[in-house]
Amino acid sequence: MGGTLSGAVALVTGAGGGIGSATVAALIAGGAEVIATDIKAPPSGTLNLAQDVTDEAGWAELADIIRQRWGRLDCLVNNAGIATVSTIEDNDLGSWRRLMSVNVDSLLLSCKAMLSLLRESGKTRAGGASVVNLSSVGGIGGAPFMAAYCTSKGAVRLFSKSAALEFAALKYNIRVNSVHPGGIETAMMEDIVDAYVALGAAPDRATARAGVDAQHPLGRWGKPEEIASGIAYLCSTASSFMTGSELVIDGGFTAH
């Protein structure tokens, strides 16, 4: 890889899910110490904590914990997210706002709470501190019945670019990039398939899944580990000249 994660202090939200847990494992394998959080404390990190990413006070408490133990934060991986499948007509405002709170508001809360710790890393770490925000192919193009999700992931994409430019302008030495997975073998993706069937967009699971397969030229869904390796790269010093970029890992989904 040409870079290192050795000795890095990393925070991964949504660490109990498929991509989150794979990311924790990849970072630890690279030599990082990982604070793993989820709505229920996940089992896989150096330090495992329960966290609601929409709770501003909780973010402040988490920053205090990291400050007392490490005094800095080298890598922030905003992976926590939810998805809904619905027609626009039936998408109620409460569900819309809940999804935006988890997928978008949490980015603002995390960057504000962790900024001083990231700046401490930026003073000394080769390549600077790294923020990695999980978007999606849905943040690049739209999809039927997923207006809320795609809107949120488009916001993740542009928040990442704006933060990258701002931190560069302020000389903070903090890089910000977004990751855009295609269909990945996770519980969330399976739930999306089930929701398409329940909505009547596909007659059964096999048909719904085949439809998703067909959108990927490689003919399959990705594995969480394939996304985690990309996240680990962005967190490592190997990606020291990347900021404001989109790392698309989608089996060719967006190449059409």
Side-chain angles (χ1 to χ4, degrees):
M1 188 162 58
T4 183
L5 282 164
S6 180
V9 178
L11 167 61
V12 179
T13 69
I19 292 175
S21 60
T23 298
V24 171
L27 294 176
I28 289 176
E33 295 188 71
V34 181
I35 305 102
T37 77
D38 209 314
I39 197 69
K40 294 182 179 179
S44 55
T46 307
L47 177 64
N48 305 297
L49 299 169
Q51 181 193 21
D52 176 354
V53 294
T54 69
D55 178 14
E56 187 169 13
W59 275 108
E61 292 171 4
L62 179 56
D64 286 340
I65 291 170
I66 296 171
R67 184 174 294 107
Q68 291 170 18
R69 181 160 173 175
W70 288 283
R72 73 182 198 283
L73 183 65
D74 301 305
C75 313
L76 169 60
V77 181
N78 285 308
N79 171 68
I82 58 176
T84 58
V85 177
S86 172
T87 63
I88 291 173
E89 183 179 17
D90 292 333
N91 199 322
D92 67 273
L93 190 58
S95 297
W96 174 279
R97 286 176 172 166
R98 172 60 181 165
L99 184 143
M100 295 300 166
S101 181
V102 174
N103 292 6
V104 183
D105 295 356
S106 63
L107 302 189
L108 175 64
L109 297 179
S110 69
C111 285
K112 287 181 66 176
M114 298 298 157
L115 187 55
S116 64
L117 292 165
L118 291 164
R119 289 182 67 184
E120 282 300 313
S121 172
K123 292 176 182 178
T124 58
R125 188 183 188 224
S130 176
V131 178
V132 181
N133 297 323
L134 268 290
S135 182
S136 166
V137 291
I140 297 173
F145 312 114
M146 298 198 72
Y149 181 77
C150 291
T151 298
S152 74
K153 292 305 185 179
V156 171
R157 174 174 173 260
L158 287 183
F159 178 90
S160 301
K161 290 182 179 295
S162 297
L165 293 172
E166 181 172 320
F167 295 162
L170 293 170
K171 310 296 185 186
Y172 286 169
N173 201 21
I174 301 170
R175 300 178 295 105
V176 187
N177 296 287
S178 57
V179 174
H180 300 256
I184 308 300
E185 296 277 5
T186 62
M188 177 186 287
M189 195 64 204
E190 294 289 356
D191 289 343
I192 290 172
V193 167
D194 288 339
Y196 270 116
V197 175
L199 193 66
D204 50 53
R205 291 194 89 260
T207 303
R209 180 159 179 139
V212 178
D213 290 348
Q215 291 178 295
H216 298 80
L218 291 186
R220 65 174 177 87
W221 294 10
K223 298 178 175 61
E225 294 76 14
E226 292 175 305
I227 308 304
S229 63
I231 295 170
Y233 167 71
L234 291 176
C235 287
S236 80
T237 58
S239 62
S240 57
F241 199 52
M242 284 186 70
T243 196
S245 296
E246 303 159 6
L247 182 57
V248 181
I249 311 174
D250 69 349
F253 188 104
T254 57
H256 292 285

